């Protein structure tokens, strides 16, 4: 509130100058805290949530939850452009994870509690008991959802929602007074809106990814200072476009009450400009390492795009589109659906947040259209296509079929881009990891024999201490000896067993148990693609 009051001041200087300092100071605190105690808490939180479910059986370190709480406090409290949902999702999941560990539950029950905790956090913070539960189990996949955990997620979400509401009250976060849905003919305009939001979401995903991988990743400064740099960029932007500060829900409430320019071209520039600048500010905040969520900014951007489309439709066809406000609400769901692939959760959450139940027909239409046209686009890297691509569901595949097929029969060529010589310098390894987008490598000697394996993550803790020796330290110095490999004579089922126990996303393939000559490796993705091709062929 202090940050927004400074930056939203009518006078640019000196009031906004003081607000200018908040995101930078917040970024410094976040950078120090996360890099010192829990680097995995950098960013939105949803990526860590997805990775923990798919690759770590829903087990989250206790310190991750604590650090995430304070990192989010510093980011959002200093005016970071993001929402509470990413951090709250991870913190709720962390509580569920802790309960599962204390009760010593199996992997399946552990993952269920993990999802239930996330659903509880979402349901409470946005007062969306059903939307929170659905989003928690839907955002895991691009074209699937974790159906086994839906009922526990609903129970947890309702419990959290009612408890939270008992202290802070019930009701919708946003309200509006305009008319809603008048005629089926309006659905044509909503379909056009969905296409516009899908294209805008594609632009946002590209900008978001470029900011992280093409800008911040290329800077030659320590990671702990990146959030402050992101805060500086946000502050500079907020001096001229103060609406980008924070999540934007308070500003959205004003827009829903028609508090925007009335002249057509001015209003159109207003909506489109705010949509773009919110894309930029959110990318700067989260991709620099700030702890904030993507949901609320997505609602903001989608609402602005909906406002722009509604404005154009109203200008051209006032008899069929008498109000702009419904397009703002539907645009929120359409954009969020396109960005996250959580279409069902998007329409339910927007309905519960606004109370616009009469808008369910257009909400359903835009969610479907957005889902279809954003099929290959998602802002979350750790979101997988479906259950077959999740390590959590490896055993859902037919073990008899996998036991009948040998590695050498299924694959005649093996991947090799993540195989490095033992003499490769540390600096060259880091460059190779960025170029190939790989985190796990196998190391071979001069004769081509398997020496061991290493993870880029294992280098992060010692990298700062080796800054002066980065050209002298080689891969062999950090190589971990391993017996987790397969031969062409092993079955695919045995290869998956090794993958499960290794913690890597790939398994080394050697010539034989007596000849450790490295032939290449098999990734989990390659095995899953092969398995799916068998199902397609048989169908």
């Amino acid at each position: 509130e202090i940050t927004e009051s400074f930056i939203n001041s009518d006078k640019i200087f000196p009031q906004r100058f003081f607000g200018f300092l908040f995101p930078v100071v917040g970024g410094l605190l976040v950078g120090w805290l996360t890099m010192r105690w829990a680097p995995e808490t950098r960013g939105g939180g949803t990526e860590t949530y997805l990775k923990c479910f798919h690759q770590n059986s829903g087990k989250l370190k206790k310190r991750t939850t604590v650090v995430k709480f304070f990192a989010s406090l510093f980011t959002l409290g200093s005016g970071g452009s993001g929402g509470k949902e990413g951090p709250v999702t991870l913190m709720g999941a962390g509580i569920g994870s802790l309960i599962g560990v204390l009760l010593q539950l199996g992997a399946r029950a552990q993952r269920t509690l993990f999802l239930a905790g996330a659903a509880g956090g979402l349901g409470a913070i946005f007062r969306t008991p059903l939307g929170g539960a659905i989003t928690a189990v839907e955002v895991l996949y691009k074209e699937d959802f974790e159906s086994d955990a839906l009922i526990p997620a609903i129970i947890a979400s309702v419990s959290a929602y009612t408890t939270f509401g008992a202290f802070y009250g019930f009701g919708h976060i946003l309200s509006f007074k305009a008319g809603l849905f008048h005629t089926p003919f309006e659905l044509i305009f909503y379909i056009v809106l969905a296409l516009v939001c899908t294209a805008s979401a594609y632009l946002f995903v590209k900008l978001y990814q470029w900011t992280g991988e093409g800008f911040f990743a290329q800077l030659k400064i320590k990671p702990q200072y990146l959030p402050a740099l992101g805060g500086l960029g946000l502050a500079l932007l907020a001096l001229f476009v103060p609406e980008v500060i924070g999540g934007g829900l308070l500003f959205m409430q004003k827009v829903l009450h028609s508090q925007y320019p009335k002249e057509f071209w001015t209003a159109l520039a207003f909506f489109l400009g705010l949509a773009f600048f919110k894309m930029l500010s959110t990318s700067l905040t989260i991709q620099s390492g700030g702890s904030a969520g993507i949901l609320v900014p997505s609602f903001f951007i989608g609402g602005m795009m909906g406002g722009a489309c509604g404005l154009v439709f109203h200008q051209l066809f006032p008899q069929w589109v008498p109000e702009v406000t419904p397009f703002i609400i539907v645009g929120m769901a359409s954009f969020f659906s396109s960005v996250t692939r959580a279409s069902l959760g998007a329409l339910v959450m927007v309905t519960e947040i606004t109370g616009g139940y009469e808008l369910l027909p257009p909400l359903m239409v835009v969610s479907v259209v957005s889902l279809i046209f954003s099929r290959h686009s998602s802002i979350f890297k750790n979101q997988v296509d479906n259950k077959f691509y999740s390590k959590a569901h490896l055993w859902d595949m037919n073990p008899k079929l996998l036991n009948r097929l040998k590695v050498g029969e299924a694959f005649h060529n093996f991947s090799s881009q993540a195989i490095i010589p033992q003499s490769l310098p540390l600096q060259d390894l880091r460059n190779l990891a960025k170029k190939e987008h790989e985190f796990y490598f196998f190391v071979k000697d001069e004769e081509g024999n398997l020496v061991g394996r290493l993870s880029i993550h294992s280098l992060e803790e010692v990298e700062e201490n080796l800054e002066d020796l980065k050209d002298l330290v080689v891969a062999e110095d950090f190589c971990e000896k391993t017996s987790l490999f397969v031969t062409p004579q092993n079955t695919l089922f045995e290869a998956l067993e090794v993958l499960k126990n290794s913690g890597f996303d790939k398994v080394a393939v050697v010539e034989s148990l007596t000849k450790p000559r490295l032939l290449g490796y098999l990734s989990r993705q390659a095995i899953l693609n092969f398995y799916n091709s068998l199902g397609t062929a048989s169908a």
Side-chain angles (χ1 to χ4, degrees), residues 281-303:
S281 63
T282 303
S283 300
L284 289 171
T285 297
I286 300 177
Q287 289 292 64
S288 65
S291 180
I294 205 75
L295 185 148
V296 171
S298 295
F299 283 166
F300 183 101
I301 299 167

Side-chain angles (χ1 to χ4, degrees), residues 156-224:
S157 184
V158 170
S159 301
Y161 165 73
T162 52
T163 303
F164 185 85
F167 290 94
Y168 295 97
F170 299 93
H172 307 297
I173 293 179
L174 299 176
S175 61
F176 60 97
K177 302 176 181 178
L180 295 172
F181 190 58
H182 305 90
T183 170
F185 187 72
E186 287 183 40
L187 291 177
I188 297 176
F189 299 107
Y190 285 111
I191 292 174
V192 176
L193 168 63
L195 296 175
V196 172
C197 284
T198 301
S200 304
Y202 179 81
L203 172 64
F204 178 45
V205 170
K206 292 300 180 183
L207 176 62
Y208 184 85
Q209 293 174 346
W210 177 86
T211 306
E213 300 172 7
F215 180 68
F216 287 115
Q218 303 299 323
L219 295 178
K220 304 298 182 182
I221 63 175
K222 293 183 178 180
Q224 70 185 67

Side-chain angles (χ1 to χ4, degrees), residues 123-143:
I125 201 69
F126 289 110
R127 302 177 187 179
T128 56
L130 181 56
I134 293 176
T135 302
V137 301
E138 187 184 19
V139 77
L140 299 167
Y141 308 102
K142 294 178 182 177
E143 48 192 44

Side-chain angles (χ1 to χ4, degrees), residues 380-448:
F380 302 126
K381 287 186 175 181
N382 290 316
Q383 188 182 56
V384 300
D385 289 344
N386 51 55
K387 291 179 181 178
F388 282 128
Y389 290 89
S390 172
K391 185 179 177 181
H393 289 278
L394 282 178
W395 308 116
D396 290 351
M397 292 187 285
N398 187 338
K400 292 183 179 179
L401 177 60
L402 294 174
N403 257 323
R404 290 200 302 265
L405 290 168
K406 294 182 185 256
V407 170
E409 296 172 346
F411 297 91
H412 301 294
N413 297 301
F414 305 104
S415 301
S416 60
Q417 62 264 30
I419 296 177
I420 58 175
Q422 60 185 1
S423 58
L424 186 71
L426 176 62
Q427 181 62 31
D428 292 344
L429 173 59
R430 295 294 298 181
N431 294 335
L432 180 64
K434 290 181 181 179
K435 178 182 177 182
E436 300 292 343
H437 301 288
E438 294 281 357
F439 294 97
Y440 304 102
F441 291 86
F442 295 108
V443 183
K444 66 178 180 179
D445 60 19
E446 295 178 356
E447 285 74 35

